Amino acid sequence: MSTTAPEPGNPAEQVPARPFQVDLRGVVDLLSRHIYASPQVFLRELLQNGRDAIEARRLLDPAAPEGRMRIAPAAAGRPDFTFSDNGIGLTAAEATDLLATVGRSSKRDEVLNLRREDYLGQFGIGLLSCFMVSDHITVLSRSARGGRAIEWVGRAEGTFHVRELPEDQTDALPIGTTVRLTPRPDEAEMLSANRVRALATRFGQYLPHPVEVAAPDGTRDTITRAPVFLDPHAHPEQVLELGTEIVGAKPLAAFPVEAPGTGTRGVAFVLPYAPPPGGNQANRVYLGRMLLSERVDDLLPDWGFFVRCVLDTTDLKPTASRESFVGGDDLEHTRTELGAQLRRWLLDTARTDPHLFGQVMGVHQQGMKALAVHDADLARILFSWLTVETSAGTMKVTDYTALTPRVRYTETVDEFRQIAAVIPADAPIVNAGYAFDADLLRQLVELTPGLTLERVNVTAELDNLNPPPLADRQSVVALEDRATAVLADSGAEAAVRMFAPADLPALYVADPEVLRHIERSKATDVAPTLWAGLVSEADAFMAKHAAVRGADATARLCLNWSNPLVRQLADVRDEAVFSRSVQLVYLQAMLAGHRPLSSRDRRLLTTTMTDLVHLSIGFESDLA
């Protein structure tokens, strides 16, 4: 007997196909846990469906009455929540297809006579979101195409029924749809008057059709308003008021932006404060004037940190949750277009409104440096406004280059702090240890003829300092030897030079490799036993390779022969006094260079101060 499996294409052997069975409770759980961020989106979905229905009726009958939506929150004496629109309405067949079939958005297009890009509800799950707040949904609808009105009732356990209403009940209903929700006890607050009004305003305040919300006293308030961010003729103060609402403070400026290819337009607000590092851009975006999200962070290029936008788009594709956008060519095109307009605004403002541009630069200095590094045209303009920290104080980049064509810089803040105090004021060095500063200097030299760039080596700078006079050589050599012996346990050696200012007794100088060794040693002191061993082995490995390269892994205490205290130290014969004095000078130099003291250094500071106090007390006793 043959055991060959039947050919898949043989009709005689095919098994009849059966439809999938959908667990409605499972679908609702999926919506609430994995698609929608919160049950509050039920109202957004109802507003969206109402807008779709109104647009569909307008296509069917251009002379139809003005579209409107009405919301009645649950309240005392009115336990149910209702949402009504005067849109196209539904027949019994349409209700069955649209309200009971998950994922049939294509069928929705046919029923509502809408092209896919003309409506917001693309996923056929809008009404199902109502099951997150209610176990019982009733839909009453009368179609503008004629026929009897219908009643559709759905329950959270996964059942529904549809019935056509008698003619007298049909005649009593207006064209359109009403959705009634019976609140679940745990979600009753979500359907209350205050919460519903707040949600309706948040999601639908800019919809093109009026939205009315019933108050507890029976009156109705229209919560929709004109979108000033889409009105090119809006008063500037109105636009800035909206910006204040969005960014929490009055923006420095506001300007229109758009990406016509995706129907995206709105306003960019220049932040009056520097955003936190790594913070999201948090732009507010509407899709067809319905709020998509208040925190969309992928519509602007990364360097667009200095603005927050409020935008409306018609053609970008939302994700299933309708809280962000699907990535792709359209989104990338929009990002590029908006970025080009931000860049154009910066260039135009720098030329036409120097005062405003100066305010922007004052607030967003660090971010503008990042922008200048990657944009040569902007860099040429920004250089006149950007500042750098130098050994002669903070100054504009252009002022620094006017002072010297030789751009000298340290790569790290540590290196800068070690030697900044002894650099001549007429040839300052730049602290390029902050983000983007080193890249900015390289960009500056590339774009400015006649400038040269030189990285400063702290050890070399020490060697370039003036040596003491030959007449003092014997005292200097003895001081170096004695001080080096005192500092043996501290991992530093002494050197004597002459430098200004004379009131600075010493410098603590260590190249980057020495600083890394110090940091590893500190980590060994505080790490658990296992990790301390690993760090110690790594440090030994690095030290070995540094020795192979001929690197000097010793820090230096550079004593200033121009300082009276240092000269007096050379004459001290009491070894205890000498030792404690050198140690104090060493610790002072460490602190002056902003070097954190290790546990060993702190113990040394305590011991040294104690000994000096004892010596002083003994000295006073002798005098007595």
Side-chain angles (χ1 to χ4, degrees):
M1 184 175 73
S2 173
T3 59
T4 304
E7 290 293 329
N10 185 351
E13 302 293 340
Q14 287 183 345
V15 177
R18 293 189 299 175
F20 284 104
Q21 300 298 311
V22 177
D23 178 1
L24 185 56
R25 285 192 180 276
V27 171
V28 172
D29 181 70
L30 177 67
L31 295 179
S32 61
R33 293 177 182 270
H34 303 291
I35 295 182
Y36 293 130
S38 166
Q40 66 188 17
V41 299
F42 87 95
L43 189 52
R44 183 192 68 188
E45 298 296 336
L46 290 176
L47 287 166
Q48 187 168 271
N49 288 345
R51 175 192 179 277
D52 291 349
I54 290 170
E55 295 296 329
R57 185 174 181 185
R58 178 177 293 177
L59 288 173
L60 178 69
D61 179 12
E66 179 189 24
R68 69 178 187 279
M69 289 170 268
R70 290 178 175 172
I71 303 171
R78 188 179 60 225
D80 289 345
F81 164 98
T82 61
F83 178 94
S84 303
D85 67 69
N86 62 345
I88 196 169
L90 298 170
T91 65
E94 292 167 351
T96 300
D97 281 335
L98 288 178
L99 305 183
T101 307
V102 178
R104 291 288 296 276
S105 58
S106 60
K107 183 65 176 176
R108 176 190 176 92
D109 297 352
E110 299 168 11
V111 172
L112 297 184
N113 193 28
L114 291 172
R115 292 182 296 118
R116 186 172 182 82
E117 62 269 25
D118 284 338
Y119 75 98
L120 300 177
Q122 298 181 6
F123 299 95
I125 57 176
L127 193 70
L128 289 182
S129 66
C130 294
F131 280 119
M132 292 192 290
V133 297
S134 174
D135 288 334
H136 189 275
I137 302 173
T138 300
V139 178
L140 293 173
S141 189
R142 181 181 176 185
S143 175
R145 296 187 177 94
R148 291 188 178 186
I150 61 99
E151 179 187 63
W152 180 96
V153 178
R155 297 177 178 82
E157 67 265 20
T159 63
F160 76 95
H161 71 260
V162 180
R163 69 182 182 95
E164 291 186 334
L165 301 180
E167 289 186 6
D168 59 332
Q169 293 184 33
T170 296
D171 294 339
L173 289 176
I175 293 175
T177 301
T178 296
V179 178
R180 179 178 294 112
L181 306 178
T182 301
R184 284 208 313 263
D186 58 331
E187 295 292 351
E189 194 275 334
M190 187 72 70
L191 301 178
S192 65
N194 290 339
R195 190 65 178 275
V196 165
R197 181 183 178 84
L199 291 177
T201 302
R202 179 187 173 206
F203 290 122
Q205 63 181 323
Y206 296 124
L207 284 173
H209 311 294
V211 177
E212 299 175 359
V213 179
D217 61 5
T219 59
R220 293 181 178 273
D221 295 328
T222 300
I223 56 94
T224 43
R225 59 173 174 162
V228 294
F229 62 96
L230 298 178
D231 183 1
H233 305 295
H235 193 280
E237 282 303 317
Q238 287 182 298
V239 178
L240 289 176
E241 284 178 12
L242 176 62
T244 302
E245 172 190 327
I246 290 175
V247 306
K250 188 174 182 178
L252 296 178
F255 57 95
V257 291
E258 64 176 336
T262 58
T264 303
R265 60 194 182 101
V267 174
F269 298 103
V270 181
L271 294 177
Y273 51 79
N280 291 334
Q281 293 177 355
N283 300 293
R284 181 180 295 185
V285 181
Y286 294 83
L287 182 60
R289 292 169 60 172
M290 172 77 75
L291 178 68
L292 181 88
S293 175
E294 294 163 330
R295 304 193 64 82
V296 176
D297 61 2
D298 55 358
L299 266 182
L300 298 180
D302 292 340
W303 54 262
F305 57 87
F306 64 97
V307 299
R308 290 291 179 269
C309 292
V310 54
L311 302 166
D312 181 71
T313 186
T314 57
D315 294 344
L316 289 177
K317 297 178 177 62
T319 59
S321 65
R322 285 189 287 277
E323 295 172 353
S324 60
F325 292 111
V326 176
D329 292 343
D330 287 346
L331 184 61
E332 185 60 34
H333 167 79
T334 302
R335 187 183 298 114
T336 301
E337 283 291 310
L338 296 179
Q341 292 181 37
L342 299 187
R343 181 180 181 277
R344 190 178 306 122
W345 182 84
L346 284 173
L347 292 171
D348 291 345
T349 303
R351 287 191 292 263
T352 62
D353 195 342
H355 176 70
L356 173 58
F357 193 74
Q359 288 182 296
V360 176
M361 292 300 299
V363 173
H364 300 288
Q365 177 82 203
Q366 194 62 24
M368 290 300 173
K369 289 181 179 180
L371 183 54
V373 167
H374 298 97
D375 191 317
D377 291 337
L378 271 176
R380 291 185 175 92
I381 292 177
L382 295 177
F383 282 146
S384 299
W385 302 87
L386 294 174
T387 60
V388 288
E389 181 184 1
T390 78
S391 54
T394 299
M395 60 178 64
K396 289 184 177 180
V397 171
T398 49
D399 292 341
Y400 176 81
T401 55
L403 188 63
T404 173
R406 186 183 176 197
V407 181
R408 303 176 70 232
Y409 72 99
T410 60
E411 192 78 26
T412 68
V413 175
D414 275 327
E415 293 174 293
F416 177 80
R417 288 171 174 171
Q418 290 178 62
I419 60 174
V422 299
I423 300 298
D426 58 348
I429 61 172
V430 177
N431 178 7
Y434 300 114
F436 306 112
D437 279 12
D439 292 331
L440 181 70
L441 295 179
R442 297 184 188 100
Q443 176 88 315
L444 173 67
V445 171
E446 288 178 6
L447 298 176
T448 310
L451 293 184
T452 59
L453 187 65
E454 175 188 341
R455 178 179 175 181
V456 172
N457 181 287
V458 293
T459 304
E461 288 299 308
L462 176 63
D463 293 337
N464 290 334
L465 295 176
N466 294 327
L470 287 176
D472 298 330
R473 179 173 177 75
Q474 185 175 356
S475 297
V476 167
V477 171
L479 176 60
E480 287 181 339
D481 291 342
R482 294 174 68 197
T484 297
V486 170
L487 298 173
D489 292 339
S490 300
E493 62 181 25
V496 180
R497 297 288 188 275
M498 298 183 68
F499 52 85
D503 59 359
L504 182 66
L507 291 175
Y508 176 83
V509 180
D511 63 25
E513 178 57 38
V514 173
L515 294 178
R516 284 191 289 270
H517 168 71
I518 294 172
E519 293 301 325
R520 290 193 295 268
S521 297
K522 288 169 58 181
T524 303
D525 292 340
V526 300
T529 304
L530 174 61
W531 289 108
L534 293 175
V535 173
S536 180
E537 290 182 11
D539 188 40
F541 175 82
M542 299 297 292
K544 177 182 178 181
H545 281 261
V548 170
R549 296 194 305 269
D552 183 0
T554 303
R556 295 187 189 181
L557 180 67
C558 183
L559 299 170
N560 186 4
W561 193 248
S562 301
N563 183 268
L565 171 63
V566 173
R567 285 178 173 268
Q568 291 174 10
L569 273 178
D571 296 329
V572 173
R573 293 293 171 257
D574 188 312
E575 290 303 325
V577 174
F578 179 83
S579 175
R580 293 302 183 238
S581 299
V582 169
Q583 289 168 344
L584 276 178
V585 170
Y586 161 77
L587 292 168
Q588 180 194 34
M590 287 275 287
L591 294 173
H594 299 271
R595 294 301 311 160
L597 299 182
S598 67
S599 57
R600 181 178 58 188
D601 293 331
R602 289 193 296 271
R603 288 193 299 270
L604 178 62
L605 178 61
T606 300
T607 302
T608 303
M609 293 296 294
T610 301
D611 288 350
L612 286 178
V613 169
H614 288 164
L615 287 171
S616 298
I617 293 174
F619 180 69
E620 290 178 358
S621 300
D622 291 341
L623 289 178

